[in-house]
Amino acid sequence: MVDYDQEAVETRIRQSFARQGAMETLGASLSSVSPGVVEIELNYDRKLTQQHGFLHAGVISAALDTACSYAAYTVTTPEVSLLTIEFKVNLMSPGRGERFLFRGEITKPGSNIIVADGRGYALTDGPAKLIASMTSTMMVIRGREGISG
Amino acid sequence: MVDYDQEAVETRIRQSFARQGAMETLGASLSSVSPGVVEIELNYDRKLTQQHGFLHAGVISAALDTACSYAAYTVTTPEVSLLTIEFKVNLMSPGRGERFLFRGEITKPGSNIIVADGRGYALTDGPAKLIASMTSTMMVIRGREGISG
Amino acid sequence: MVDYDQEAVETRIRQSFARQGAMETLGASLSSVSPGVVEIELNYDRKLTQQHGFLHAGVISAALDTACSYAAYTVTTPEVSLLTIEFKVNLMSPGRGERFLFRGEITKPGSNIIVADGRGYALTDGPAKLIASMTSTMMVIRGREGISG
Amino acid sequence: MVDYDQEAVETRIRQSFARQGAMETLGASLSSVSPGVVEIELNYDRKLTQQHGFLHAGVISAALDTACSYAAYTVTTPEVSLLTIEFKVNLMSPGRGERFLFRGEITKPGSNIIVADGRGYALTDGPAKLIASMTSTMMVIRGREGISG
């Protein structure tokens, strides 16, 4: 992390994020990039709900997975790519709120496997409410054609 | 399951599915409902992708979670509701294809906790390709105001 | 937590821990009980290893599950019991070391479902090394005959 | 799998299993090795229990992890080794019974990552009772000194 270049890392991540059709569909934005930690936010929208009108668990997973993946990008070099191998999501409270924050954070960096943890919060009145957590396992990919960023 | 009423179950599930804003956003359709097994399909669309152009892991999770949840609905009575407590997703191959099938199946029914397993497949030329699996844990909810179906 | 009675809680947990045949088999001891956090320690022993001579993932799981469960006991009342519904373990570094510490911590208390996170560390020379993490989901059980503590 | 040599594979796995101190401690035996599927059995013993006298979730995890790992060994070449990166366990029924069977089965082979699923059963009177399931993710390791088999 000696050579951590915040501007280069953030540019790279923002360009990759912009290529994610799903993030645009969810109305998600990348609100913060720092070493080992990335935050994504999105507004409540009826088009993102499950049958009770709460944020769909899949939407929560999409935002947490993206936050965890880009958190991992902050600790890897530009020539490698990352694939999510698996994740686990705990849904702790209904996805009820006006706006949501999803934070991904590196738990264990590595040259082959990176583990990140994420937390999702509903932001409305009062303190942020924890609605979900994720643990995500990613594999570092080198030189696989057609996969970069 | 003695009294399993296919028509009533399928109607109830289709009505609930129709209330899921997220399923409409994904362009997902409920393709099959049978006792303990539900299938959902969706077409590839640029608006559902991650940065490499593959189906986003969150979209895969949304479809698998929904398939697993409705599989659980086929084995519960109409007055109860289900909340997904947690799930784990393994992403086994990139979400590359024209069309995708997601099957949820009950592994362990129960009066308090139901466990389902799901599998996602890419459908293109040749045999269906396994792209993801899910194990999902749901809690049976009785008489909670504002939560039904 | 207003009425948190450290002595009563710790006594209850130590009595329950003493009934766990598996903890004795592993040579594990309960090293710390505080509100929402419980720590367990054990020494390396050849009888706890996998084929490469590292601590077996199942032993790591046993210690983390127990630490997470008793962390949950610190936030429940004595008449209820807890059953672990599921957990996920990430194995981040080989279980190499002389002594190991496993900490379980409540992430989300609840009247029906409690979520805890655990971390396992190898203690040898130098700083503790993170070897594993767990997320555990527990169900609060009331009045089920034959299950207490 | 063209060259699958049952005798060589089984010998290799039995030798590795014999090096697992933890399996001896649990009283576990390798009851079946076939392509992509491995079974382990163990008897109920007070020394393997949690506080209610049921088989400890960590013991269940140890047996399932081992069964899944050796299932993966049946589809890899002898010079590689496997490390479990992570697993998830669902505990579906209390670990009550006289004898237990744990079956691990390959879900997705691969040159870098192998995914296996496992199921644990209590064997007493009547049909086997499903008590637990596992999904396990393993990494294929080549040429790492000191890690083989």
Side-chain angles (χ1 to χ4, degrees), chain B residues 75-122:
Chain B
V75 298
T76 56
T77 48
E79 72 277 11
V80 308
S81 188
L82 292 166
L83 285 182
T84 304
I85 301 173
E86 65 82 40
F87 52 67
K88 177 208 204 296
V89 177
N90 266 255
L91 302 154
M92 298 174 189
S93 293
R96 211 174 347 215
E98 294 164 15
R99 190 162 174 82
F100 299 92
L101 170 70
F102 301 94
R103 178 182 299 121
E105 192 164 347
I106 296 303
T107 299
K108 175 71 172 63
S111 54
N112 291 303
I113 298 290
I114 296 176
V115 179
D117 282 280
R119 299 238 166 148
Y121 301 90

Side-chain angles (χ1 to χ4, degrees), chain A residues 85-86 112-115 135-139, chain B residues 88 90, chain C residues 57 88-93 131-133, chain D residues 65 69 82-88 112-115 135-141:
Chain A
I85 301 173
E86 65 83 40
N112 290 303
I113 298 290
I114 296 176
V115 179
T135 298
S136 164
T137 310
M138 287 158 282
M139 184 167 52
Chain B
K88 177 208 204 296
N90 266 255
Chain C
K88 178 208 202 295
V89 177
N90 265 254
L91 302 154
M92 298 173 190
S93 293
I131 59 165
S133 69
Chain D
D65 172 45
S69 295
L82 291 166
L83 285 182
T84 303
I85 302 172
E86 64 82 41
F87 52 67
K88 177 208 203 296
N112 291 302
I113 299 290
I114 297 176
V115 179
T135 299
S136 164
T137 310
M138 287 158 281
M139 185 168 51
V140 179
I141 307 288

Side-chain angles (χ1 to χ4, degrees), chain A residues 52-95:
Chain A
H52 308 127
F54 305 142
L55 207 60
H56 198 288
V59 171
I60 292 169
S61 300
L64 284 172
D65 172 46
T66 300
C68 286
S69 294
Y70 289 126
Y73 272 84
T74 69
V75 298
T76 55
T77 48
E79 73 277 12
V80 307
S81 188
L82 291 166
L83 285 183
T84 304
I85 301 173
E86 65 83 40
F87 52 67
K88 177 209 203 295
V89 177
N90 266 254
L91 302 154
M92 298 174 190
S93 293

Side-chain angles (χ1 to χ4, degrees), chain D residues 19-37:
Chain D
R19 288 198 300 276
Q20 293 211 16
M23 289 300 106
E24 190 181 345
T25 302
L26 303 187
S29 61
L30 195 57
S31 53
S32 159
V33 173
S34 55
V37 185

Side-chain angles (χ1 to χ4, degrees), chain D residues 37-56:
Chain D
V37 185
V38 164
E39 292 181 351
I40 286 172
E41 294 186 40
L42 59 81
N43 287 324
Y44 178 85
D45 192 308
R46 275 291 300 160
K47 75 179 187 187
L48 306 177
T49 57
Q50 37 85 291
Q51 73 272 25
H52 307 127
F54 305 142
L55 207 60
H56 199 288

Side-chain angles (χ1 to χ4, degrees), chain C residues 56-62 87, chain D residues 17 20 22-23 26 28 40 42 56-69 87 89 102 134:
Chain C
H56 198 289
V59 172
I60 293 170
S61 300
F87 52 67
Chain D
F17 186 91
Q20 293 211 16
M23 289 300 106
L26 303 187
I40 286 172
L42 59 81
H56 199 288
V59 172
I60 293 170
S61 300
L64 284 172
D65 172 45
T66 300
C68 286
S69 295
F87 52 67
V89 177
F102 301 93
M134 171 179 279

